[in-house]
Amino acid sequence: GQITVDDALSLKTHYPETTEEELRQEVRHVIDLFAPSKRYIFHPASFIPGNAAIMIDEAKKYGKDYWNRHNLK
């Protein structure tokens, strides 16, 4: 099999002034884009600890919801 590796997150994830909602939207966008392959590994590409924590939280919540909604097993 293959794994999708892509730094698809926008550069705004690296800025401290990026809002929490902008970060969460970006994570949802990337999951929507790559999750259908079932081979995507999310990595919070941010050097700002607060941003990374928000992105990990959203990836866990939205990723689980995405998986369940699309019945991916």
Side-chain angles (χ1 to χ4, degrees):
Q2 296 178 347
I3 296 175
T4 302
V5 179
D6 192 324
D7 188 13
L9 292 166
S10 74
L11 289 177
K12 68 183 172 184
T13 63
H14 298 290
Y15 303 134
E17 64 272 6
T18 302
T19 68
E20 179 175 339
E21 184 54 32
E22 289 173 320
L23 290 169
R24 291 183 183 277
Q25 286 175 353
E26 189 66 20
V27 169
R28 293 189 297 263
H29 167 72
V30 170
I31 289 173
D32 288 341
L33 190 63
F34 291 107
S37 73
K38 296 193 227 177
R39 294 179 175 99
Y40 178 65
I41 299 172
F42 179 81
H43 183 272
S46 180
F47 302 111
I48 300 167
N51 286 6
I54 291 167
M55 294 164 65
I56 290 168
D57 179 65
E58 189 63 22
K60 287 179 181 178
K61 291 176 182 174
Y62 188 77
K64 182 178 180 180
D65 179 61
Y66 184 96
W67 194 263
N68 290 332
R69 276 186 292 127
H70 295 281
N71 202 23
L72 300 173
K73 301 214 187 283

